[in-house]
Amino acid sequence: MKISIFGLGYVGAVSLACLARDGHEVIGVDVDPWKRDLIRNGRTPIIEAGMDTLMAAAVASGRVQVTDDATSAVRGSELSFVCVGTPSRPNGSQDLRALERLAAQLGDALRAKAAYHVFVVRSTVMPGTVDDVVIPLLERHSGQRCGSDFDVCFQPEFLREGSSIHDYDNPPYTIIGGRSDRGVATVRRVFEHLPREVKVCDIRTAEMLKYACNSFHALKITFANEIGRISQAAQVDPHAVMALLCEDRQLNISPAYLRPGFAFGGSCLPKDLRALCNLAGRRDVSTPMLSAIADSNRMHLEHAVELVLATGARSVGMLGLSFKSGTDDLRESPLVVMAERFIGKGLAVRIYDPHVNLSRLVGANRRYVEDVIPHLGSMMSDDLDAIIDQSQLVVVGLRTDEVVAALQARSRPDHVVLDLVSLPRPETLRGTYQGVCW
Ligand SMILES: NC(=O)c1ccc[n+]([C@@H]2O[C@H](COP(=O)([O-])OP(=O)(O)OC[C@H]3O[C@@H](n4cnc5c(N)ncnc54)[C@H](O)[C@@H]3O)[C@@H](O)[C@H]2O)c1
């Protein structure tokens, strides 16, 4: 394929060398004459394992051209990768000036081209940037229509500096965010030889995914380091702890706990997190990330409460009360806290939870109910249908077949349904559906 690459920094230079190696004819474009000269002479503009030999071979193959002329590069290629930098401004927001300038240039270049063209944004950009900034600039400057005359895809780049050639050839997967089958199919041709799956999604999902991945990586590093500092202070070997933590592929290194949903609670996580933060505090170990977890969890619960209060509903049916479906444990259940907040605001609350039978609760769970929430008993009912019928708003904290079927049968156009559990097929419900964070 004939491919142009705009921006010859880490991402662009590695892509250029790898694409030429794979047999494509590549035109590299950069505003920096120093980088252009280096590449033209078969030298790498970045320090990266294997790049010296790869770039020398790529240029020697005769399949690499370098220019600063965007118009000739767009005309001479069928697909363009956009790899310009998107640095931080002092307030953390993204500086899109290079991308905006380039999108305008690419649009101008496209004006003179009749053949179909695909642009692939690989720079890391905030969700909505391609739809709201890049495509409008391309359309305005080219006078052409995205989706017919040209297409734009977003393909997040997962390479890591230091191992970028290896990562280019072995990505976790290839993600193509696109609006049209034709655009996606064109990008797929470039990457389908890689040993990993190609996954197609919409552009905003692909844009957000890159931030979710990088934040997750940063979170993992910080987590391991905070556990390290607490372990050090407690004379425990953090390497042994983290190595064993990683061996649990069921709960730890797995998709468990990684689905957006409701706040956590129960008799273990809040208590043990508090104890760990307390230990850190006593040893003068600062652990801002671990210490912020409880606050974030509280904010998530508060967000759900605010969603309900904002509707103006006066009667709320709560389906589910215990901290987790299938248990009767009410200790530190976020649904209990939610019910308390509604009662405090004077709402009529009715609660259904088939696993919670107040007369049968025992031990610490019973003491918790008697001491902390003695009044909730009178609000509980096992008549699921009646609770749905008599409530303006239904908070769904239980994802059983019975609850799903009752909601599908009895939801009304004037109902509001607040979903905390990712109900299946929410479009089949009547009324206003609202996910807690979706
Ligand atoms: N570095 C990484 O490991 C990595 C990994 C994944 C994603 N990303 C993302 O990819 C993007 C590029 O990152 P990078 O590290 O390669 O950036 P970089 O700063 O090393 O390179 C960007 C290049 O774009 C050039 N440029 C700017 N405006 C231009 C224009 N109008 N026309 C042509 N060239 C122009 C610059 O001269 C520079 O050489 C960023 O959004 C970054 O967040 C980077």
Side-chain angles (χ1 to χ4, degrees):
M1 211 186 265
K2 290 189 166 146
I3 297 171
S4 48
I5 300 179
F6 291 83
L8 300 173
Y10 261 91
V11 173
V14 171
S15 302
L16 174 133
C18 291
L19 287 165
R21 175 205 61 192
D22 294 345
H24 299 286
E25 294 201 16
V26 190
I27 307 171
V29 188
D30 203 294
V31 289
D32 184 339
W34 177 76
K35 287 190 183 170
R36 293 199 304 271
D37 278 347
L38 279 175
I39 295 178
R40 206 174 274 124
N41 293 313
R43 294 173 52 204
T44 170
I46 58 164
I47 306 295
E48 185 65 35
M51 268 296 276
D52 285 343
T53 42
L54 191 65
M55 187 63 90
V59 173
S61 73
R63 288 193 290 273
V64 174
Q65 288 176 53
V66 187
T67 179
D68 62 349
D69 179 3
T71 305
S72 68
V74 169
R75 282 202 211 146
S77 59
E78 48 202 299
L79 182 142
S80 301
F81 286 112
V82 172
C83 310
V84 295
T86 49
S88 277
R89 289 205 173 93
N91 69 357
S93 69
Q94 206 167 40
D95 185 345
L96 286 180
R97 279 175 301 178
L99 182 67
E100 286 168 351
R101 256 198 309 273
L102 179 59
Q105 276 181 314
L106 295 175
D108 290 335
L110 196 59
R111 186 171 278 279
K113 185 178 177 187
Y116 172 75
H117 198 91
V118 179
F119 296 98
V120 186
V121 177
R122 305 213 73 188
S123 303
T124 302
V125 291
M126 280 287 141
T129 305
V130 168
D131 282 344
D132 302 341
V133 178
V134 176
I135 292 176
L137 277 168
L138 286 169
E139 288 190 330
R140 197 159 65 245
H141 283 261
S142 65
Q144 300 186 11
R145 300 292 307 161
C146 181
S148 50
D149 307 313
F150 69 93
D151 271 306
V152 182
C153 293
F154 179 82
Q155 189 195 10
E157 173 55 76
F158 294 113
L159 63 80
R160 294 165 298 174
E161 290 181 20
S163 56
S164 52
I165 297 170
H166 175 268
D167 290 348
Y168 179 94
D169 291 328
N170 299 278
Y173 39 38
T174 297
I175 303 286
I176 306 176
R179 283 183 179 184
S180 84
D181 292 345
R182 188 179 179 194
V184 169
T186 309
V187 186
R188 190 189 279 271
R189 273 168 52 206
V190 182
F191 295 101
E192 61 193 355
H193 67 286
L194 293 175
R196 298 291 195 279
E197 224 180 313
V198 174
K199 290 187 173 285
V200 177
C201 59
D202 65 49
I203 292 175
R204 282 177 136 79
T205 301
E207 290 170 319
M208 185 66 184
L209 174 69
K210 178 66 191 167
Y211 285 99
C213 290
N214 273 356
S215 307
F216 191 41
H217 302 162
L219 179 85
K220 284 166 66 167
I221 292 167
T222 305
F223 175 79
N225 289 341
E226 289 197 0
I227 292 294
R229 294 204 297 277
I230 300 173
S231 299
Q232 184 181 46
Q235 286 154 358
V236 177
D237 175 3
H239 296 295
V241 172
M242 289 306 295
L244 287 170
L245 181 145
C246 292
E247 277 188 37
D248 174 353
R249 304 283 159 150
Q250 289 183 42
L251 300 182
N252 294 345
I253 310 302
S254 81
Y257 306 121
L258 283 173
R259 269 176 38 165
F262 194 40
F264 67 79
S267 60
C268 293
L269 301 193
K271 164 178 87 68
D272 295 347
L273 191 59
R274 272 194 300 270
L276 190 65
C277 291
N278 176 276
L279 169 67
R282 279 189 287 121
R283 303 286 165 109
D284 291 329
V285 177
S286 172
T287 52
M289 196 200 87
L290 288 169
S291 306
I293 293 175
D295 259 351
S296 176
N297 199 48
R298 258 191 302 279
M299 277 173 205
H300 198 60
L301 195 150
E302 205 49 43
H303 172 66
V305 170
E306 278 163 17
L307 286 174
V308 170
L309 298 181
T311 66
R314 303 301 303 162
S315 57
V316 176
M318 297 192 60
L319 312 185
L321 187 64
S322 68
F323 86 102
K324 187 160 59 175
S325 295
T327 121
D328 66 355
D329 200 343
L330 297 177
R331 286 172 292 170
E332 300 206 41
S333 166
L335 289 161
V336 169
V337 180
M338 213 180 176
E340 298 279 31
R341 295 275 284 111
F342 296 151
I343 295 163
K345 287 282 176 189
L347 307 189
V349 177
R350 302 197 73 205
I351 303 166
Y352 170 80
D353 192 324
H355 298 105
V356 178
N357 182 334
L358 292 182
S359 63
R360 276 199 260 127
L361 293 183
V362 290
N365 198 14
R366 183 182 189 96
R367 270 198 306 285
Y368 180 80
V369 174
E370 285 170 355
D371 295 349
V372 185
I373 49 168
H375 47 287
L376 284 192
S378 62
M379 295 171 187
M380 297 202 68
S381 157
D382 45 20
D383 190 344
L384 173 59
D385 291 350
I387 290 184
I388 296 174
D389 290 348
Q390 291 160 19
S391 304
Q392 294 169 308
L393 185 145
V394 183
V395 175
V396 189
L398 194 59
R399 195 178 188 266
T400 61
D401 291 347
E402 187 197 20
V403 163
V404 170
L407 282 168
Q408 271 164 1
R410 307 193 83 83
S411 59
R412 298 184 307 262
D414 61 312
H415 263 140
V416 179
V417 176
L418 176 65
D419 181 5
L420 309 178
V421 293
S422 293
L423 286 168
R425 298 192 303 125
E427 68 284 356
T428 58
L429 300 175
R430 291 164 291 276
T432 306
Y433 171 85
Q434 170 75 64
V436 61
C437 57
W438 54 89

